[in-house]
Amino acid sequence: MILKVVISVVCAVSVLTVGILIGHFGIDKGSSAPSWVNDVAKDVDEALIEKFLSEVDNMQIQENLRELTKVPHMATTPGDEQTVKLMLERWRDPETGLDDAWREEYMVYLSFPDTKNPNKVTVVSPSDTVIYTAREKEKPYTADQDDPEVVQPYAAYSPPGNPKGKLVYANQGKPSDYQELNKTVDLRGTIAITRYGGAGRAAKAINAAPYGVIGVLVYTDPLDINDGLMSDINETYPHSWYLPPSGVERGGFSTHYGDLRTPYLAAKGNHTDFAVVFLLCLHELGGEAAPADWQGAFNCSYNIGGPGFKQTSAFNSSDVKLETFNHGELKNSSNVMGVIRGSVEPDRYVIYGNHRDSWVHGAIDPSSGTSVMLELTRVLGKMVKQGKWRPRRSIIFGSWGAEEFGLIGSAEYTEQYFTKLSERTVAYINVDIAVFGKKPFLPPRSRHPMPCNSLSHLDRCPGMESTSVYDNWIKYSNWTSPEHGLIPKMGHLTGAGSDYAAFVHYLGITAMDISYTYDRSKTNARIYPAYHTAYDTFDYASKYIDPGFFSHQAVARTAGNVLIRLADSLVLPLNCSDYAELLEMYLSRAVDLYQTDLCLISEPLKSAVASFRSAASHLDQMILSSDLVRRINDQLMLLDRAFLDPLAFPDKYAFRHVIWTSSSAGMSTFPGLADAFAKAESSGQSSDWDKVHYHLSVLSQNIAGAANTLVDVI
């Protein structure tokens, strides 16, 4: 008790002393105040932001990308080590570097193909004679594809084996696709061919297993990526941005993110798909025609399989055989970290990250983001070295390793520094693929309303100097907010598509993912066509994605603008009332969808959302009238932590955020509730309905708890 009293007195004296000092130096007595007095009350400097925007150089970004893509740099390869050394060299530069830069190393479990015994897909006769063999490497058009370090297309973490069976076509490999297929075809012992999209890579195989499917192939359909174009004579790369016929999308097929050996622990040493454009097999498949929405762009009817091939086919009675020789290895993978230390609140962190590893040369994924980060740190580092600026809060930069194998570098970092990051991190900014395609607009995704409106008015739209990023964004992607009217539309970080996942879902940290994308109303391409292939090169990026690198420049300016505001603003530019508006939208949608079945949805959940709105409005007023800046900032910083529930999603690894977790239901409402309701409605089992009511209780409790963090401190 005596100790508590002494501590309280010391703290009170400390606060009083600071107040007296500020008051003393605030009175002009002809003496100058220490610099820290002015720093404490300083807000974001708009002139400095303007200077930052003017110094971001598109040609510097272009040369960064050229350097980063000289060789393939798959995680832990010699090419990856070259990029580690490049990042350290830049961040330690005496004129434009950061305060400090270092590497964080983890011993992680990765999956590789056998270079001496390549994976194969073949069509074999009943006597096991090989009739057809799928191409093992992509066709070269430039020297890049001939580089000996180009890895064979493969599915990382697909286990070794040689399943053989009749072929069936299962559309996108969603649960509903297999369910539909199983109505007319016995799937036991079959090999399913599925197209990318609709379900995650690993999910396509997981969804197949209950039906007895023994192997899964995944291919890229020209309808989904090329708008139906297929000829490399004049239609695809190297003549346009479309994927050549032999292009194969590589990918990781793990079921959760982070190192698979060490869930929830940092990997510090202590403790099939075979994606092939299988055109010939699709042409020859027998059985009934697949539903209309399963049809693709190949010039044939997409049949579901007999199972197997047509009676009239040369492949009649033949099987498809998958031979996979992948092997696992423990490898040393590095994150490269850098820091600019804060002047006033060095114990508050704004983190900016991008993964460094790629499947091949990775010009767009991820080197477009890395080239932007290098330019951003060059400009900010120069300001720091010249003594022109130092942020209020510390800025941490992360160049994550082994992302392509399951977000490993960022996940291990959050596990190693779980407590420190949970208590001190203001926000995380992710720029992975900086530019998906030629203009027109930049659509960030975030999870706690971030400072987009004010900042994007300053940035110019690429190729349209009279138009701001904001105006162009709202032109192509907008929605009508009940509170603000017509505003730019932002997506939500609900899945685990990039390195924001561990920060959002595991730590509950406010996050934003920023990229420049193409007009999706003018193409069916689900992503830029060379994604994860040997054609994602500097040549491809500079010719067909962003000639002149002006879109890269716009991303660097916008991301840097966000970063500076988060690091320098006296009061954090995060808006709780906008969060309340989103919760109200989710509630309204839930009532529309589930009120008939769940009459109890009304009171507890409605009351919790109303409490959150009231508390958010109260905090808005506090921000306008109070000088308790540190307390208010902590309330804003920690808000998302209040939505974490470690027991809410036991079947979803490291997903703890009850508002933003991933969902398979496809409804714009509370994800856990939506998934539980869909399962209960399908099964009709009382135990599943109990889970629906459980998720109602979880939501009500967490939203009410979050509201309590925004009201006056007891």
Side-chain angles (χ1 to χ4, degrees):
M1 185 65 185
I2 293 173
L3 179 61
K4 289 183 180 178
V5 171
V6 171
I7 292 173
S8 298
V9 171
V10 170
C11 290
V13 170
S14 299
V15 172
L16 179 61
T17 302
V18 171
I20 291 172
L21 285 170
I22 293 174
H24 171 77
F25 288 112
I27 301 171
D28 185 7
K29 298 179 180 179
S31 60
S32 60
S35 61
W36 66 264
V37 174
N38 294 326
D39 290 343
V40 166
K42 188 177 180 181
D43 207 344
V44 66
D45 185 343
E46 297 293 340
L48 182 133
I49 290 178
E50 290 279 9
K51 181 172 177 57
F52 166 80
L53 297 177
S54 69
E55 293 194 5
V56 172
D57 189 337
N58 58 305
M59 288 295 99
Q60 288 277 359
I61 297 173
Q62 173 182 287
E63 293 313 304
N64 289 341
L65 189 66
R66 193 191 306 274
E67 181 71 22
L68 287 162
T69 57
K70 282 183 176 178
V71 297
H73 48 284
M74 188 168 66
T76 73
T77 64
D80 184 31
E81 179 61 20
Q82 282 185 224
T83 62
V84 169
K85 291 177 179 177
L86 174 65
M87 301 300 295
L88 287 171
E89 178 187 343
R90 296 288 186 87
W91 286 355
R92 290 171 175 170
D93 186 279
E95 295 183 355
T96 60
L98 309 177
D99 288 335
D100 197 7
W102 64 97
R103 63 196 296 165
E104 293 270 7
E105 297 186 342
Y106 302 94
M107 188 62 67
V108 301
Y109 180 76
L110 303 183
S111 168
F112 300 100
D114 187 336
T115 55
K116 296 180 180 178
N117 198 10
N119 299 339
K120 288 187 176 74
V121 177
T122 56
V123 178
V124 296
S125 70
S127 62
D128 221 28
T129 301
V130 175
I131 302 173
Y132 172 78
T133 301
R135 187 184 185 105
E136 294 176 7
K137 288 198 170 186
E138 291 142 308
K139 179 179 176 180
Y141 297 98
T142 69
D144 292 320
Q145 289 83 51
D146 276 329
D147 191 304
E149 291 298 311
V150 172
V151 69
Q152 173 200 8
Y154 79 113
Y157 301 109
S158 177
N162 54 354
K164 181 175 70 172
K166 301 297 181 188
L167 189 67
V168 294
Y169 170 54
N171 193 30
Q172 296 178 323
K174 304 186 296 292
S176 59
D177 293 332
Y178 288 111
Q179 187 177 11
E180 178 68 23
L181 190 58
N182 196 51
K183 292 177 181 178
T184 55
V185 178
D186 183 355
L187 296 177
R188 290 173 296 180
T190 61
I191 305 289
I193 182 169
T194 67
R195 58 207 271 187
Y196 270 110
R201 297 183 187 98
K204 295 176 188 296
I206 293 170
N207 296 338
Y211 297 94
V213 175
I214 60 172
V216 175
L217 289 160
V218 184
Y219 79 99
T220 301
D221 197 281
L223 182 66
D224 304 326
I225 205 78
N226 273 15
D227 296 316
L229 300 178
M230 290 177 279
S231 173
D232 63 353
I233 296 174
N234 59 359
E235 293 179 331
T236 66
Y237 183 78
H239 310 287
S240 76
W241 83 320
Y242 289 121
L243 183 66
S246 66
V248 182
E249 180 180 323
R250 297 151 181 80
F253 282 64
S254 56
T255 54
H256 65 253
Y257 60 85
D259 179 51
L260 296 179
R261 286 187 320 122
T262 59
Y264 299 112
L265 296 171
K268 283 294 188 178
N270 49 2
H271 36 240
T272 294
D273 149 90
F274 183 85
V276 176
V277 182
F278 217 5
L279 168 60
L280 183 58
C281 289
L282 280 172
H283 268 287
E284 301 298 320
L285 263 181
E288 299 176 359
D293 58 352
W294 290 26
Q295 299 296 317
F298 291 131
N299 187 25
C300 66
S301 171
Y302 284 45
N303 298 333
I304 61 175
F309 299 104
K310 301 172 185 175
Q311 294 294 319
T312 56
S313 170
F315 296 163
N316 180 30
S317 301
S318 299
D319 291 332
V320 168
K321 186 176 183 180
L322 312 182
E323 295 178 87
T324 306
F325 303 100
N326 292 348
H327 63 281
E329 288 186 45
L330 284 177
K331 302 282 282 188
N332 194 58
S333 178
S334 299
N335 291 338
V336 180
M337 308 302 300
V339 65
I340 299 176
R341 296 185 181 91
S343 59
V344 178
E345 300 179 79
D347 62 334
R348 290 294 179 262
Y349 311 145
V350 181
I351 304 177
Y352 183 112
N354 155 254
H355 76 93
R356 186 187 62 257
D357 66 300
S358 63
W359 282 116
V360 193
H361 292 84
I364 301 303
D365 183 11
S367 300
S368 62
T370 309
S371 63
V372 162
M373 181 163 66
L374 284 172
E375 174 60 4
L376 189 152
T377 55
R378 181 191 71 82
V379 176
L380 295 181
K382 183 179 178 181
M383 290 179 175
V384 170
K385 296 295 185 184
Q386 293 178 346
K388 295 179 179 178
W389 174 73
R390 181 163 292 280
R392 179 186 187 89
R393 304 174 184 92
S394 294
I395 300 174
I396 297 173
F397 294 95
S399 174
W400 313 120
E403 187 267 2
E404 297 293 6
F405 288 84
L407 317 181
I408 290 177
S410 56
E412 300 312 301
Y413 177 76
T414 59
E415 289 169 351
Q416 182 177 4
Y417 299 106
F418 177 89
T419 303
K420 182 167 73 171
L421 296 177
S422 295
E423 293 180 355
R424 301 179 182 178
T425 306
V426 168
Y428 174 70
I429 300 169
N430 193 68
V431 181
D432 182 342
I433 299 175
V435 181
F436 280 89
K438 292 183 180 179
K439 59 193 182 190
F441 68 101
L442 182 147
R445 294 179 293 166
S446 83
R447 278 202 31 296
H448 191 320
M450 300 275 266
C452 290
N453 293 7
S454 59
L455 66 91
S456 52
H457 278 299
L458 295 173
D459 307 332
R460 296 295 95 190
C461 185
M464 295 182 283
E465 288 305 309
S466 62
T467 304
S468 70
V469 166
Y470 181 92
D471 291 337
N472 201 49
W473 176 8
I474 203 170
K475 175 182 176 181
Y476 287 96
S477 181
N478 59 69
W479 75 290
T480 302
S481 159
E483 188 164 335
H484 305 294
L486 191 70
I487 60 174
K489 185 176 182 179
M490 295 183 71
H492 303 308
L493 301 179
T494 55
S498 190
D499 289 297
Y500 53 76
F503 293 93
V504 171
H505 302 300
Y506 185 48
L507 296 184
I509 289 171
T510 296
M512 173 180 277
D513 183 79
I514 303 176
S515 62
Y516 223 92
T517 193
Y518 48 90
D519 187 349
R520 294 177 186 269
S521 69
K522 294 184 174 151
T523 176
N524 286 327
R526 60 182 176 84
I527 197 167
Y528 72 96
Y531 175 69
H532 285 192
T533 74
Y535 306 112
D536 188 358
T537 61
F538 179 83
D539 180 70
Y540 179 85
S542 60
K543 286 181 179 177
Y544 302 118
I545 298 295
D546 189 19
F549 288 80
F550 296 108
S551 293
H552 283 76
Q553 182 184 44
V555 171
R557 287 171 170 171
T558 303
N561 202 336
V562 174
L563 179 63
I564 293 170
R565 291 178 188 278
L566 286 167
D568 272 358
S569 293
L570 186 62
V571 176
L572 290 173
L574 305 174
N575 193 316
C576 292
S577 290
D578 286 351
Y579 213 137
E581 183 173 279
L582 184 134
L583 294 178
E584 289 165 349
M585 289 169 54
Y586 271 21
L587 173 63
S588 176
R589 182 66 171 148
V591 170
D592 291 343
L593 290 169
Y594 312 131
Q595 183 68 38
T596 303
D597 299 273
L598 300 173
C599 52
L600 293 178
I601 199 173
S602 54
E603 294 316 314
L605 190 53
K606 284 182 178 179
S607 175
V609 172
S611 295
F612 188 93
R613 165 60 79 178
S614 175
S617 299
H618 174 75
L619 188 64
D620 285 347
Q621 291 303 310
M622 286 285 292
I623 291 171
L624 294 174
S625 61
S626 174
D627 57 359
L628 300 173
V629 174
R630 177 79 170 195
R631 193 194 87 181
I632 290 171
N633 282 343
D634 280 355
Q635 287 175 291
L636 291 167
M637 178 182 75
L638 297 173
L639 174 60
D640 267 307
R641 318 293 201 273
F643 291 109
L644 296 180
D645 188 325
L647 303 179
F649 311 105
D651 58 340
K652 293 181 179 180
Y653 173 79
F655 281 85
R656 308 194 300 161
H657 202 296
V658 301
I659 307 301
W660 301 115
T661 192
S662 62
S663 171
S664 58
M667 300 296 180
S668 299
T669 187
F670 305 108
L673 177 62
D675 284 356
F677 186 90
K679 185 176 180 181
E681 191 175 44
S682 175
S683 72
Q685 295 182 10
S686 59
S687 59
D688 287 336
W689 284 111
D690 289 343
K691 290 179 181 177
V692 174
H693 288 278
Y694 168 74
H695 276 283
L696 274 172
S697 299
V698 166
L699 282 169
S700 301
Q701 178 171 295
N702 278 272
I703 294 172
N708 285 329
T709 69
L710 301 181
V711 297
D712 292 338
V713 176
I714 296 173

